[in-house]
Amino acid sequence: MASSLESLNRWVEDVARLTEPAQIHWCNGSSGEIRLLTEQMLASGDLIALNEETHPGCSLHRSSPTDVARVEHLTYICTRNRDDAGPNNHWMDPAEAHAKVDALFAGAMRGRTMYVVPYCMGPIDSPISRCGVEITDSPYVVANMRIMTRMGAAALSRIEAEDSFVKGLHSTGELDPDKRFIMHFPEELAIKSIGSGYGGNALLGKKCHALRIGSWQARSEGWLAEHMLIVGIENPQGETRYIAAAFPSACGKTNLAMLIPPESYREAGWKVWTIGDDICWMKPGADGQLWAINPEAGYFGVAPGTDHKTNPNALAMIQRDTIYTNVGITADNQPWWEGLSEGQPVSDWQGRAYDPAKGPAAHPNSRFTVAAQQCPSWSPQAEAAQGVPISAIIFGGRRPSLVPLVFEARDWAHGVLVGAAMGSETTAAATGAVGVLRRDSMAMKPFCGYNFADYFTHWLSFDKPGAKLPKIFHVNWFRKGADGKYLWPGFGENLRVLEWILGRCDGTAGAEETAIGLVPGIADLNLDGLAITPAASRELLGIDEQAWQSELAAIGKYLDGFGARMPQRLKDEQRMIAEALASKPAKSIRAANG
Ligand code: OXD
Ligand code: MN
């Protein structure tokens, strides 16, 4: 059999023949290489230097105004059998998809440099990590991949030693939305993306590899590739436990991953450690626990709303060596976005004189790209080859009504249903209407590389003898009162909810059994020092049985939409809860020592 490097060389030659670049550059990931590339981009205008005194090593990239977000309607899963992609994906026959994009790739790199970017998703020495190579004609993509992945010589050595890697081909093409496609070929471990330079469409290691192709690989190899942050919570006794949490785009994953404990918790000795803010790969270990790595090496975070109050760790980490995309700038060339309490914009994200009548200074989906280590709460365990053991999995969404602040699933299968039923109001991270409720199972609707029904079956399969699975919870920071105001303060105060969750994991926290799961009583949560009225806390934790009956009916309909492949186990779970809602009164269960 040909070695991986032979097959890589052959692929690079084939791509060069098709795309006709002026030159080919194999990236080694060195600091000299990135320095030169950055100088070239500053000279060409691909990057704009920012204030070197306040923001050393930072630069700004302005994307094409029609290329500012992921494009789900142009994103395809191309499997031989349409049902393998499922109703949750756009599908195209692989032969047709290759023909369609190859026609666009023909000659696409004329006059440009073709970069060959070997990368590793996850610590170089981790058995959970997987490698890929992205071929791109965008130096901006190369610079981002260098921050977001372990890119260069070490990844190439691992590829040489392994027998497969994910092939990602990218060109910005003409940046024409009519000639834009993000194609995935999971059976070939291949991606072809053309016509966009935007993060999620162009940094192929992230959504395309680590989630869409990764989820496919994970199913065939017995692990999970999830749209989850990973955070470590250290209690005053010095024990750190790890939580993985899935929220749809722009629901505060980055904020939760970098949470600053409230003052009283800090004083008592609580600490928060960041492992990852977007993607989590989890695999059962020999001990039966799920062990997780963050496959990424950086954060590609949403800038607007990032401030001292909302996410001081994020603000601190982006003061140096950061690539900003589509933010505004101040008169002295500092980056600026809506929600930043200091400074005034003079130019907007398109480089026009800032005029509030023309819209915000920063695009709502403007971003920062920064190395993970720059985060003050970065955990050295993010580099651990074996990963970290996961004690709890949290699902959540933006639900202004109905869904309580937190509840616990009775068992794994119930937890899988809770994840499958997740929903949220849409945000600006993808193009489309904002503020509409859409079901987003496990926050993977845009990212699962195969049929959701098969994905739920895969999740259920982890519940087997010997497994020591994490408990599963659902949170909702976004419930509103009758006055339209949020009932829960959110941000650092969310640690109070995490404390309850960890207390449930070790049997020290109480809960009340309800038809939808285990909900804390008011006395089970530490609300000390919070300005929250008893009426508001009752509303936050309350369950409106009638409204939940409609919700369960809607969930049942949603599951039925996946047809015959939907696991019966999940449908049974839905039916049991619907029946319990119609009959069961709430009862209180107390922790053994609580
Ligand atoms: C992201 C997203 O960019 O989920 O992380 O949209
Ligand atoms: Mn994401």
Side-chain angles (χ1 to χ4, degrees):
M1 210 178 104
S3 81
S4 275
L5 279 198
E6 269 174 60
S7 99
L8 171 58
N9 287 327
R10 208 170 331 109
W11 175 54
V12 169
E13 279 165 26
D14 290 346
V15 169
R17 209 170 304 116
L18 175 67
T19 59
E20 301 175 35
Q23 59 223 337
I24 302 178
H25 177 93
W26 287 71
C27 294
N28 60 25
S30 69
S31 48
E33 177 180 74
I34 193 64
R35 208 175 314 118
L36 205 69
L37 195 71
T38 305
E39 277 167 22
Q40 286 166 4
M41 283 190 282
L42 288 168
S44 69
D46 268 339
L47 288 182
I48 297 160
L50 292 172
N51 189 322
E52 193 54 33
E53 230 156 81
T54 59
H55 290 75
C58 294
S59 53
L60 166 66
H61 173 76
R62 291 192 181 119
S63 73
S64 160
T66 58
D67 183 31
V68 292
R70 287 184 289 99
V71 282
E72 284 166 29
H73 61 294
L74 302 173
T75 299
Y76 290 83
I77 300 295
C78 310
T79 45
R80 280 181 303 245
N81 177 348
R82 181 177 198 141
D83 283 345
D84 290 339
N88 46 303
N89 281 302
H90 298 294
W91 174 85
M92 202 182 288
D93 174 75
E96 185 189 339
H98 280 300
K100 204 177 192 87
V101 285
D102 286 355
L104 297 173
F105 273 110
M109 297 190 189
R110 259 176 230 151
R112 301 181 187 174
T113 300
M114 176 174 118
Y115 299 93
V116 181
V117 186
Y119 63 86
C120 179
M121 299 311 292
I124 285 279
D125 57 348
S126 171
I128 308 176
S129 300
R130 291 289 179 275
C131 290
V133 177
E134 176 165 358
I135 296 180
T136 179
D137 57 7
S138 161
Y140 164 79
V141 165
V142 175
N144 276 271
M145 285 292 283
R146 187 170 181 275
I147 296 173
M148 296 303 296
T149 72
R150 280 84 171 171
M151 178 270 252
L156 191 62
S157 304
R158 179 163 169 161
I159 289 168
E160 190 169 11
E162 289 184 341
D163 61 2
S164 82
F165 62 93
V166 172
K167 293 184 171 80
L169 172 57
H170 168 255
S171 169
T172 49
E174 297 168 30
L175 290 176
D176 175 352
D178 292 330
K179 296 181 184 163
R180 181 175 295 162
F181 291 101
I182 324 295
M183 303 287 201
H184 303 74
F185 306 89
E187 287 146 340
E188 303 165 40
L189 299 187
I191 304 153
K192 290 185 177 177
S193 163
I194 190 156
S196 168
Y198 170 77
N201 304 324
L203 311 178
L204 301 186
K206 193 176 180 61
K207 304 300 189 180
C208 300
H209 176 165
L211 289 176
R212 297 197 191 96
I213 301 290
S215 60
W216 179 283
Q217 280 184 302
R219 179 184 46 163
S220 57
E221 298 172 5
W223 49 281
L224 290 164
E226 298 302 322
H227 190 201
M228 291 178 177
L229 66 92
I230 310 169
V231 67
I233 309 292
E234 183 178 333
N235 66 17
Q237 291 74 50
E239 301 151 349
T240 303
R241 276 165 307 161
Y242 297 90
I243 295 175
F247 298 85
S249 306
C251 279
K253 285 220 306 293
T254 304
N255 292 350
L256 187 63
M258 297 173 192
L259 178 148
I260 304 250
E263 205 176 317
S264 58
Y265 278 72
R266 275 203 308 276
E267 280 164 8
W270 290 84
K271 291 193 185 104
V272 171
W273 298 99
T274 308
I275 303 275
D277 80 328
D278 196 41
I279 302 179
C280 166
W281 284 358
M282 281 182 282
K283 194 176 178 179
D287 60 358
Q289 294 192 88
L290 285 183
W291 290 76
I293 61 164
N294 171 13
E296 301 192 283
Y299 309 114
F300 181 67
V302 175
T306 307
D307 195 21
H308 298 288
K309 255 176 110 174
T310 57
N311 195 336
N313 279 330
L315 195 65
M317 77 183 174
I318 59 180
Q319 299 305 303
R320 65 174 175 94
D321 300 314
T322 299
I323 301 173
Y324 289 94
T325 301
N326 293 339
V327 298
I329 47 181
T330 64
D332 65 346
N333 234 18
Q334 296 191 48
W336 195 90
W337 49 84
E338 278 64 25
L340 186 66
S341 49
E342 279 151 30
Q344 295 280 334
V346 294
S347 299
D348 74 4
W349 62 280
Q350 301 187 57
R352 305 174 302 190
Y354 172 59
D355 174 359
K358 287 192 181 142
H363 187 276
N365 194 32
S366 56
R367 299 279 175 149
F368 52 76
T369 318
V370 65
Q373 267 114 316
Q374 286 186 207
C375 181
S377 58
W378 178 76
S379 165
Q381 290 301 311
E383 293 293 337
Q386 78 276 16
V388 295
I390 297 297
S391 298
I393 288 176
I394 300 179
F395 295 117
R398 217 173 250 278
R399 299 294 301 258
S401 63
L402 183 76
V403 182
L405 176 65
V406 58
F407 66 94
E408 176 191 336
R410 274 175 277 100
D411 55 24
W412 184 258
H414 178 207
V416 174
L417 178 73
V418 168
M422 246 175 80
S424 194
E425 288 191 355
T426 51
T427 66
T431 50
V434 171
V436 179
L437 179 77
R438 93 168 177 172
R439 294 244 175 244
D440 187 354
S441 298
M442 279 84 168
M444 285 286 277
K445 166 71 185 68
F447 306 120
C448 184
Y450 61 102
N451 191 321
F452 254 167
D454 298 340
Y455 171 73
F456 302 143
T457 302
H458 180 51
W459 261 85
L460 290 167
S461 76
F462 285 82
D463 188 8
K464 55 183 170 216
K468 294 202 190 83
L469 294 169
K471 279 179 177 280
I472 299 179
F473 298 82
H474 188 283
V475 302
N476 177 26
W477 316 133
F478 302 97
R479 193 164 184 175
K480 290 179 175 173
D483 59 0
K485 293 206 178 110
Y486 289 118
L487 289 163
W488 180 248
F491 301 105
E493 308 297 347
N494 293 338
L495 184 56
R496 297 169 187 271
V497 176
L498 303 186
E499 182 186 13
W500 179 77
I501 285 174
L502 292 172
R504 291 299 301 161
C505 292
D506 51 39
T508 56
E512 304 190 348
E513 199 177 293
T514 76
I516 67 152
L518 299 146
V519 181
I522 293 174
D524 297 317
L525 283 176
N526 176 9
L527 302 176
D528 286 355
L530 268 193
I532 185 164
T533 64
S537 32
R538 271 195 302 277
E539 206 177 337
L540 249 178
L541 297 170
I543 289 164
D544 174 343
E545 257 109 20
Q546 245 176 0
W548 269 100
Q549 284 182 30
S550 319
E551 171 77 354
L552 262 288
I555 292 168
K557 231 167 134 185
Y558 170 70
L559 297 183
D560 284 344
F562 294 94
R565 288 196 188 195
M566 180 56 63
Q568 187 58 39
R569 183 80 183 78
L570 219 52
K571 294 208 247 181
D572 291 346
E573 207 52 58
Q574 179 272 346
R575 189 179 32 79
M576 267 156 45
I577 297 167
E579 283 169 10
L581 274 166
S583 63
K584 199 164 143 201
K587 79 169 189 250
S588 223
I589 52 163
R590 295 285 109 201
N593 54 348

